[in-house]
Amino acid sequence: MSLSERVALSLVIPAFREAARLPPNLPRIAEYCDTLVLPEGETCEVLAVVERSDDGTLERAREAAAPFPRLEVIDNGPQRGKGHAVRSGMRRARGAIRIFMDADLSTPLPEVGRFLGYFAAHPEVDVVIGNRRHRDSRIGRAQGPVRRHLGGLFSRLVRGSILPGAWTDTQCGFKAFRAEAAQRIFSRQRLDGFSFDVEVLALAAGLGLTTHDLPVEWRDDDATRVRLWYHGWGMLRDLCRVRALVARSLKEQPLEKDGG
Ligand SMILES: Nc1nc2c(ncn2[C@@H]2O[C@H](COP(=O)(O)OP(=O)(O)O)[C@@H](O)[C@H]2O)c(=O)[nH]1
Ligand SMILES: [Mg+2]
């Protein structure tokens, strides 16, 4: 893809230990992009942000991506976490709309088109997030009961402490941003682990951006990188830091610096 080409859409896919799931999905993602009706002369880029593991994810993903110029597999170094990988991808993305999504396509590809349509119809909206708890969501295969309950508890904790009255599903791995919103959020975002979604939403609020949630289709995949107790404690610890982190980021990089 040439640097001068205008990019309408960036898909950012964080990946760790995904040798089984990412390589077969990459061609499907590239082919889906071909079906999108984008503005004349504009294109779509896919950035798979791979953190190193011993299962050959990077090599296999590169092989799978080779025939498709729009697919870029990024070696993001040693594992630091999903938040770090998403941030790296979002900072590199060039699309007018930038979406991050999971390598297992738990949120099926047609949701990309639906979210693009929502942005087109709602110029006032800066950020659109998937909400698996929305009453119109179509959950083909739900997360297991323990995960679901802990997820609900986590969202209640977030509502009670950081984002009052707001989102019922902060953790859905499908979130979309206009270019400027992505730039403003991810230049300030710091958390490397799974709590990064909360920081992203808190930054969006702190920056005065308009965020909307939409129902999504979701088909859970049992294979998960999330180790409940290990990551659960890390997420709680990070949650305690979100308010302070966001306040610090907004102080160090005040809104005026965005030029808007
Ligand atoms: N780069 C990177 N990606 C990660 C990490 N942990 C999870 N991911 C990716 O984040 C996405 C969601 O992970 P998954 O294990 O499916 O989580 P779940 O669906 O919430 O159980 C997948 O694309 C993973 O490969 C990590 O530590 N580093
Ligand atoms: Mg998953």
Side-chain angles (χ1 to χ4, degrees):
M1 199 177 298
S2 89
L3 271 177
S4 60
E5 218 162 10
R6 276 172 59 91
V7 183
L9 171 68
S10 303
L11 297 177
V12 170
I13 305 169
F16 176 68
R17 203 157 276 150
E18 290 287 6
R21 301 193 294 186
L22 180 65
N25 282 339
L26 283 173
R28 294 176 57 198
I29 297 168
E31 282 155 17
Y32 175 76
C33 289
D34 290 336
T35 69
L36 289 171
V37 182
L38 301 175
E40 181 70 29
E42 296 195 21
T43 182
C44 158
E45 64 176 7
V46 181
L47 310 177
V49 189
V50 177
E51 295 191 340
R52 290 183 201 150
S53 55
D54 53 14
D55 67 348
T57 302
L58 193 60
E59 296 72 21
R60 287 198 210 170
R62 286 207 161 128
E63 270 167 40
F68 305 94
R70 67 167 89 256
L71 298 185
E72 190 179 343
V73 176
I74 297 163
D75 174 358
N76 209 40
Q79 187 199 12
R80 279 177 58 179
K82 182 177 178 181
H84 178 244
V86 168
R87 176 166 73 248
S88 306
M90 282 291 177
R91 286 186 180 179
R92 212 154 145 159
R94 293 177 292 135
I97 302 291
R98 304 173 188 180
I99 299 181
F100 70 79
M101 57 195 282
D102 292 349
D104 53 13
L105 300 184
S106 284
T107 312
L109 286 163
E111 297 295 54
V112 169
R114 219 166 52 82
F115 274 48
L116 288 178
Y118 190 86
F119 275 122
H122 298 86
E124 75 287 2
V125 173
D126 303 299
V127 179
V128 185
I129 65 171
N131 177 3
R132 294 163 295 182
R133 289 173 182 262
H134 194 290
R135 64 187 147 79
D136 296 329
S137 284
R138 288 142 298 152
I139 308 298
R141 188 168 184 282
Q143 289 179 315
V146 176
R147 193 64 202 277
R148 253 195 347 266
H149 283 111
L150 287 177
L153 191 66
F154 185 80
S155 290
R156 277 205 294 281
L157 259 178
V158 171
R159 281 205 297 281
S161 59
I162 300 168
L163 299 166
W167 317 112
T168 49
D169 180 14
T170 56
Q171 299 311 107
C172 182
F174 194 85
K175 293 187 170 64
F177 307 81
R178 288 191 195 275
E180 194 191 325
Q183 204 280 326
R184 298 177 71 193
I185 292 171
F186 289 96
S187 61
R188 294 176 169 91
Q189 193 270 320
R190 300 282 175 267
L191 288 177
D192 286 343
F194 286 107
S195 284
F196 83 98
D197 293 85
V198 177
E199 188 192 10
V200 164
L201 293 175
L203 279 166
L207 290 162
L209 297 170
T210 304
T211 304
H212 188 80
D213 66 345
L214 284 186
V216 279
E217 187 173 345
W218 180 269
R219 290 186 227 127
D220 201 55
D221 183 345
D222 275 341
T224 178
R225 312 294 156 254
V226 179
R227 286 177 284 145
L228 275 184
W229 299 114
Y230 173 75
H231 287 118
W233 285 119
M235 285 174 75
L236 285 181
R237 187 197 56 217
D238 282 348
L239 207 52
C240 300
R241 299 170 55 207
V242 166
R243 267 173 179 276
L245 271 181
V246 167
R248 178 141 54 98
S249 297
L250 291 173
K251 194 165 161 222
E252 283 173 4
Q253 204 180 323
L255 272 55
E256 306 83 67
K257 281 209 179 161
D258 294 338

